[in-house]
């Protein structure tokens, strides 16, 4: 189930979303929902992922998102992150492949050396 905090963050009223079934949808219910081709709640593109939120005032509601908006609105785990220098090395290598250069501007403690 999707967090109701997502709607608050995006400024979407739960009342504007379609009611979801009172039971927990499984694979076939999600597939059926997607075949109806609903718009993404964030950008309006055709949704490729369907989720459900539970709202205290409005009950269960469908949360339809496209893949890009799902990625943009999904909370990342607090697990270990690669060092910034490693990430920048990958970015610099990719830029070099297309004939570009990367200039990083940050504070002394960002690890971008």
């Amino acid at each position: 189930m999707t967090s109701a905090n997502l709607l608050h963050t995006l400024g979407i009223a739960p009342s504007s979303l379609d009611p979801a079934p009172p039971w927990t949808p499984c694979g076939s219910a999600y597939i059926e929902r997607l075949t109806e081709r609903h718009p993404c709640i964030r950008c309006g593109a055709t949704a490729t992922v369907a989720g459900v939120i539970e709202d205290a005032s409005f009950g269960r509601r469908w949360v339809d998102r496209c893949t890009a908006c799902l990625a943009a609105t999904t909370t990342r785990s607090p697990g270990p992150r690669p060092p910034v220098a490693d990430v920048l090395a990958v970015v610099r290598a990719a830029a070099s492949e297309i004939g570009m250069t990367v200039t990083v501007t940050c504070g002394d403690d960002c690890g971008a050396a």
Side-chain angles (χ1 to χ4, degrees):
M1 186 174 306
T2 303
S3 168
N5 290 334
L6 170 68
L7 299 182
H8 178 72
T9 301
L10 296 176
I12 296 171
S15 60
S16 69
L17 303 176
D18 293 339
W23 42 269
T24 301
C26 61
S28 61
Y30 288 115
I31 291 169
E32 184 178 322
R33 175 77 181 172
L34 293 174
T35 60
E36 296 171 0
R37 303 187 56 81
H38 293 274
C40 172
I41 63 168
R42 185 168 180 249
C43 73
T46 301
T48 54
V49 179
V52 174
I53 60 118
E54 181 81 39
D55 181 80
S57 300
F58 296 98
R60 299 169 63 81
R61 297 291 174 153
W62 284 108
V63 177
D64 304 302
R65 290 178 281 178
C66 67
T67 304
C69 289
L70 172 70
T73 59
T74 299
T75 304
R76 271 74 170 168
S77 68
R81 301 274 189 233
V84 172
D86 292 354
V87 173
L88 290 174
V90 171
V91 171
R92 285 184 178 115
S96 178
E97 280 187 32
I98 60 170
M100 305 284 297
T101 58
V102 174
T103 302
V104 177
T105 306
C106 64
D108 292 337
D109 61 345
C110 79

